[in-house]
Amino acid sequence: MDTIKIFDTTLRDGEQAPGAAMTIEQKYEFALQLARLGVDVIEAGFPVSSPHQFEACKLIAENVKGTTIAGLARSVEKDIDAVYESIGKAENSRLHTFIATSPIHMEYKLKMTPDQVVESAVKAVTYARNKFAEVEFSPEDGTRSELEFLYRIIEKVIDAGATVINVPDTVGYTMPDEYGLLIKSIMNNVPNIDKAIISVHCHNDLGLGVANTLAAFKNGARQAEVTVNGIGERAGNAALEELIMALNVRKDLHHLNSNIDTKQLYNTSRLLSVIMASPIPRNKPIVGANAFSHESGIHQHGMLSNRETYEIMTPESVGREASEIVLGRHSGLHGFKKRIDELGIALSDEQIKSAFEIFLKLADRKKEVFDEDIMQVAGSVLGTKSTFYNLDYFNIITGNTVISTATVRVKIKDEVFEEAATGDGPISAIFQAIDKATSISGRLVEYNVHAVTSGKQAIGEVSVLVEIDNIKYLGKGSSTDILKASARAYIAAMNRYKLSMENNGAAREN
Ligand code: KIV
Ligand code: ZN
């Protein structure tokens, strides 16, 4: 089985996308994560384009080990020198040079004849080969270039010393079969192609970036240029996580390995989303919130019997937590009962049925039903209040010149407990004040927030994992006020703890 190479260009092509700009430190942090993920090549940037790009490439090249660091250059000496000065000290370095080869680019952008383009490419590769052991050449807009011209320029640059030939679908124009044929015809018509490996670089303008990359692998390409979360110019590039999981899930078809540690995929995606302050769409394959969530009753029933009914890969295989059964208006009795069990609430079959009726009415009114709602529903069937701790009031003083101070009032049955605490920030202050008011000492293990609705009035959902007496309890809370949502989530975790104490630990989340 062949092993394909993953060339990650998130920090170069990806960062060219509107809204994707990163600081030098953020690029460095992300490059470290790419190395952990196991990419073979990190394209760190386009050093000649700005002092920022130059410095980021240098920092990454000098400190990120265990992978090759590449830098981009047009086919001119000044660009190649900038790459050499910035990444020349990397453990392994690669020069990536490009020049456009399609008639439209040569005539309108470069204003050069095809012969001049070949001459520049050969000159650049020859110059680069004296400085770098690995030289990659890209005929930009390759998929809209004339075939005979492509064969000619590729042969010449390989003779000049190029070791990797990248065939970019710069404008995301090609189709899988067509692109596969193009790679095959390059393999068959460039006499010295055995001296280089073929790489592919597919933009996603028609949503075919990953499909085109797979078609190219089928026809002999052995390196893919991809970006995490598929970011990049316009509609982006082929997404690394989608390509890798397509190869893994359908190994029976592709027979290809990679060096990627798939368990790092989710972390890498999340890190990028946090750095770019750009949420991952819920329905994004592999890394979106819905990728392993099931709401419809039929799907939940299938999943509870055998997860393979509706999942072709496990969330754990991409570094995520267990699949989620999301309760909403499409859910069935099986999913509802499972959540009641997880919450540690003991209901008879009759009570479950009544609670389910109430739940369905509630789910019709609400976009998503949270654990706190389920506990209220169960409580109404039991004729009791199933929430032990209730947040009565909270107040926060915070800012960049004051120490965050929170006051909370928690109701336990008819008694009211009011406490105040300070913290590193408002969230920490609230959680500490709740600890005092409930006399429970919780350790925050995980804190996540996401917008359930969009716009400035978005409802934020906070989920927390709180460790109490060595057991972790999940709590969720929602509100248009993120601090209120946080307080509700923390109280919800405390209520789960209380319930589990009363039900001999049945509501554990571990
Ligand atoms: O899309 C493209 O053609 C590129 C090249 C520089 C490889 O990003
Ligand atoms: Zn590109």
Side-chain angles (χ1 to χ4, degrees), residues 5 11 26 31 37 65 83 95 99 118 123 132 142 160 168 179 218-219 242 331 420 439 445 467 471 479 485 494 501:
K5 302 261 183 234
L11 293 172
Q26 288 172 333
L37 176 65
K65 308 288 173 202
V83 174
L95 183 282
I99 191 164
V118 174
K123 212 168 139 210
F132 294 88
Y179 196 50
K218 201 168 168 195
N219 288 280
E242 293 174 22
S331 303
S439 304
V445 180
E467 190 176 290
I471 297 172
S479 169
M494 300 259 153
M501 288 298 104

Side-chain angles (χ1 to χ4, degrees), residues 212-234:
N212 288 335
T213 306
L214 290 170
F217 281 156
K218 201 168 168 195
N219 288 280
R222 285 296 174 263
Q223 175 181 283
E225 301 198 355
V226 289
T227 59
V228 173
N229 295 343
I231 66 166
E233 289 279 2
R234 306 179 309 281

Side-chain angles (χ1 to χ4, degrees), residues 167-223:
V167 186
D169 183 26
T170 304
V171 288
Y173 175 72
T174 198
M175 297 283 135
D177 289 349
E178 181 186 48
Y179 196 50
L181 275 180
L182 172 63
I183 301 302
K184 194 179 198 163
S185 65
I186 290 173
M187 299 279 279
N188 291 336
N189 290 287
V190 176
N192 54 0
I193 196 70
D194 59 313
K195 297 202 174 61
I197 78 161
I198 298 190
S199 167
V200 288
H201 177 115
C202 298
H203 278 271
N204 213 23
D205 299 66
L206 295 173
L208 293 169
V210 171
N212 288 335
T213 306
L214 290 170
F217 281 156
K218 201 168 168 195
N219 288 280
R222 285 296 174 263
Q223 175 181 283

